[in-house]
Amino acid sequence: MDNKKALGQRIKELRKNKKISQESLAELVGLEPPSVCNIENGKNYPTIQNLEKITNILNVSLKSAFDFEHFQDNKILIKEINNLLNDNPDKIKEIYKIIKAVVE
């Protein structure tokens, strides 16, 4: 997934977590609703000014807006999980319990 699509998907995820509609976000940012739609669909990047407004409205940091590693391909995520496990062998049992609880 390219960065434009990942950023848009992340903004959409954050917006939905705050239970804000696209129309409301557009109004608060000062954009037309189709502009927010295009940002969330990865067709357009927001300007830095609009990105700052979006993150302020959603009450998240700019850094958080770019936290979209969880959108990566599963193969990449599995490699990263394995690296984390290899780097933290003392946590394997705890992580296993968490995964088992989520899967059940």
Side-chain angles (χ1 to χ4, degrees), residues 7-45:
L7 177 60
Q9 191 172 350
R10 178 66 173 151
I11 290 170
K12 182 177 184 176
E13 176 184 53
L14 293 167
R15 175 182 60 76
K16 286 187 168 196
N17 287 343
K18 297 290 182 180
K19 297 180 175 37
I20 298 174
S21 68
Q22 276 187 344
E23 293 79 14
S24 295
L25 181 60
E27 183 178 331
L28 292 166
V29 174
L31 294 172
E32 294 296 319
S35 296
V36 172
C37 182
N38 286 336
I39 290 168
E40 289 186 355
N41 289 331
K43 294 179 182 175
N44 295 327
Y45 277 117

Side-chain angles (χ1 to χ4, degrees), residues 12 33 43 48 52 61 69 76 81 85 89 99:
K12 182 177 184 176
K43 294 179 182 175
I48 189 65
E52 283 184 311
S61 67
E69 290 85 16
I76 294 170
I81 290 169
L85 291 172
I99 293 171

